[in-house]
Amino acid sequence: MSTPGPQETVEIALAAARGDATVVIVERGGDRYLRWADSALVGAGDGDEHRVSVVSVVAGRVGAVSVSGPVDRAEVVGMVHAAEASARQAPPAPDARPLPEPGAASPHWDDPVQAPAPGVLSGLVDQIATGFARAERNGQVLHGYAEHRSRTTFLGTSTGVRLRHDEPAGHLELTARDATGAPVWMNAVTPDFADVSVAALQDELDRRLRWGRRRVELPPGRYECLVPPSAVADLMNYAYTTAGAGAAAQGRTAYSRAGGRTRIGETVAGVPLTLRSDPMAGGLRCAPFLVAASSTGTRSVFDNGLPLGPTCWWDRGRLRSLVHTRDSADELAMPLTPVVENLILEGPPGGGDDADLLARTRRGLLLTSLWYIREVDLATMALTGLTRDGVYLVEEGEVVGAVHNFRFNDSPLAMAMRVTEVGRAVPTRARDWGDAVAHTAMPMLRVPDFNLTAATAAV
């Protein structure tokens, strides 16, 4: 039996439903990727994405079934029956409520899904080949990965919601090594790779390799650090994904205050930092409606189709909002601020670029990225992890050598309170936790006493 299209899949599932409420989510798309090592392409390919999720509500109980891969009409109907059977066996959902009523349907709901252009990475292949030749002339080797993902999400519900979001996204990571063996790393984010210059990335990698020709040993301790945008994205992704209002009101997170209250209204940054989300932000667009195949602390299946708009989380250094479901917003009598799948951190107007912050550094460390980040204590937002692919000593505005890597132990909220200078926000992607919030724009931050607890041999 043939596989129905995504729009038809939604209608088949809803027509077969017999529960009190039903949500159908269909994700379609494709991936293109390249991988290279030791200045040679070692992998290239593509893949198709098919995923169908059905959420059924029966007497305030929730059941859900998800299937990856193409499904035919009979399998779609079977998924609905399985989800309803699961719901009948489930305990009552504490956040149960009617699904949102439909607004205007997406005007392009019926349009066919556009496959990613076959040549989306072809221009990059030529650039990488030129980069290999340049690296060989300079006694270097290149390693890296590039990926382009195209996703279309269809959301249909038994209340009449019919919403669709199309999202192309790409990113590239480029690592260079020379005879010293110490790697240096850069990344880039892009919707289609038309704006990516491998030569410009190599220019910066060459500069960092030159910095590494002089090695400096430093003991662990608290150092003034310039934390670059990608590393800031890792830290802010954690601060955002743990910002559920319900957990905060229950006293379980760093956003909690005694007496079942939250820290909304309190100062959370030492300078006027603004942390916000906006589905329509240029270069960072994400779904303008909520999609949830299962409930978590920051999203509810009962909120599927909820419209999303610009949301301010930190307003000039003060905590303005936490992430709410409709249930937590009603329970805490707070404005509804649902989760949005992008994140932007900005300082006051006029923030300089990374070079400006470097030039104003009397003595400190310039980091490259963070890696292997793990939670230590949810109540304080304490994290531990490693620096990776370059730590550089800066004196009087100039890099004077490379330092070994460190383990760090610190909290994104505690660091935000100690920030003294903020650069200009630029699109970036968290290196370690990039899948948590893929679309981010972050600045470089000056942290006067980043807690580097141990030297490591990791590169």
Side-chain angles (χ1 to χ4, degrees):
M1 187 177 294
S2 62
T3 301
Q7 301 93 331
E8 187 182 1
T9 298
V10 170
E11 303 307 334
I12 292 170
L14 292 174
R18 297 294 180 266
D20 300 327
T22 306
V23 175
V24 185
I25 302 164
V26 181
E27 297 170 276
R28 291 291 300 272
D31 297 344
R32 302 282 188 270
Y33 76 89
L34 294 172
R35 190 183 301 277
W36 55 96
D38 293 327
S39 294
L41 284 172
V42 296
D46 55 62
D48 292 326
E49 171 76 10
H50 296 257
R51 186 171 182 83
V52 179
S53 300
V54 176
V55 180
S56 296
V57 181
V58 178
R61 303 163 188 265
V62 175
V65 174
S66 293
V67 172
S68 293
V71 290
D72 62 27
R73 179 181 294 268
E75 289 169 327
V76 173
V77 173
M79 290 179 66
V80 174
H81 293 164
E84 291 174 350
S86 176
R88 295 186 188 99
Q89 301 299 316
D95 56 344
R97 59 192 52 238
L99 296 176
E101 291 299 316
S106 296
H108 60 310
W109 171 266
D110 291 321
D111 291 352
V113 174
Q114 296 297 316
V120 68
L121 296 179
S122 58
L124 184 64
V125 171
D126 294 337
Q127 290 194 64
I128 291 294
T130 301
F132 291 163
R134 170 178 168 175
E136 184 177 9
R137 289 193 302 271
N138 294 333
Q140 305 165 4
V141 292
L142 297 182
H143 312 265
Y145 178 77
E147 179 184 65
H148 184 269
R149 304 182 68 191
S150 177
R151 290 289 182 275
T152 299
T153 301
F154 296 85
L155 174 67
T157 74
S158 52
T159 56
V161 167
R162 298 293 186 275
L163 295 171
R164 168 180 175 165
H165 176 66
D166 299 273
E167 186 174 298
H171 70 278
L172 174 147
E173 299 190 21
L174 187 62
T175 301
R177 292 176 183 265
D178 62 11
T180 68
V184 293
W185 175 88
M186 293 287 293
N187 73 338
V189 295
T190 175
D192 55 15
F193 287 91
D195 57 347
V196 170
S197 169
V198 172
L201 294 173
Q202 280 188 278
D203 287 344
E204 178 61 23
L205 292 175
D206 287 348
R207 183 168 74 138
R208 296 183 181 199
L209 287 170
R210 290 193 297 271
W211 289 345
R213 291 172 185 166
R214 179 184 178 223
R215 308 298 295 181
V216 181
E217 295 292 325
L218 291 176
R222 288 187 175 270
Y223 289 92
E224 177 174 297
C225 287
L226 297 176
V227 186
S230 175
V232 174
D234 269 312
L235 299 171
M236 290 298 106
N237 275 6
Y238 185 81
Y240 182 46
T241 55
T242 58
Q250 294 164 10
R252 297 191 284 117
T253 76
Y255 298 106
S256 302
R257 195 165 58 175
R261 297 179 295 169
T262 71
R263 294 181 58 192
I264 288 178
E266 291 187 12
T267 298
V268 291
V271 295
L273 288 172
T274 294
L275 185 67
R276 63 185 180 90
S277 298
D278 182 355
M280 297 294 111
L284 304 172
R285 293 188 64 175
C286 61
F289 53 89
L290 192 136
V291 182
S294 61
S295 293
T296 68
T298 56
R299 67 185 72 216
S300 167
V301 295
F302 295 97
D303 293 345
N304 269 296
L306 202 66
L308 305 176
T311 305
C312 184
W313 309 108
W314 300 1
D315 185 4
R316 290 166 293 181
R318 290 187 178 275
L319 182 63
R320 179 172 174 179
S321 307
L322 293 170
V323 178
H324 277 286
T325 62
R326 286 186 297 164
D327 181 68
S328 68
D330 288 348
E331 181 180 350
L332 300 175
M334 297 293 291
L336 176 58
T337 48
V339 65
V340 181
E341 296 295 337
N342 66 13
L343 199 60
I344 303 162
L345 183 69
E346 298 166 314
D353 60 20
D354 294 0
D356 296 326
L357 270 70
L358 182 68
R360 289 193 287 270
T361 301
R362 183 173 181 183
R363 190 174 195 273
L365 299 179
L366 170 64
L367 308 184
T368 294
S369 65
L370 304 179
W371 189 249
Y372 206 67
I373 304 169
R374 297 294 181 266
E375 177 185 287
V376 175
D377 183 8
L378 180 62
T380 61
M381 206 180 287
L383 303 176
T384 189
L386 304 174
T387 65
R388 187 177 182 187
D389 291 341
V391 177
Y392 304 98
L393 178 62
V394 183
E395 293 180 340
E396 303 302 335
E398 298 286 344
V399 173
V400 297
V403 184
H404 46 76
N405 281 296
F406 290 93
R407 172 168 292 281
F408 74 88
N409 287 83
D410 220 323
S411 157
L413 280 187
M415 280 193 281
M417 286 296 295
R418 307 194 309 268
V419 167
T420 56
E421 190 173 3
V422 185
R424 185 181 304 115
V426 296
T428 190
R429 179 182 170 91
R431 187 175 189 185
D432 197 11
W433 287 350
D435 289 337
V437 186
H439 305 296
T440 61
M442 298 285 147
M444 177 176 278
L445 299 179
R446 187 187 302 278
V447 180
D449 53 355
F450 198 164
N451 190 21
L452 303 176
T453 56
T456 76
V459 294

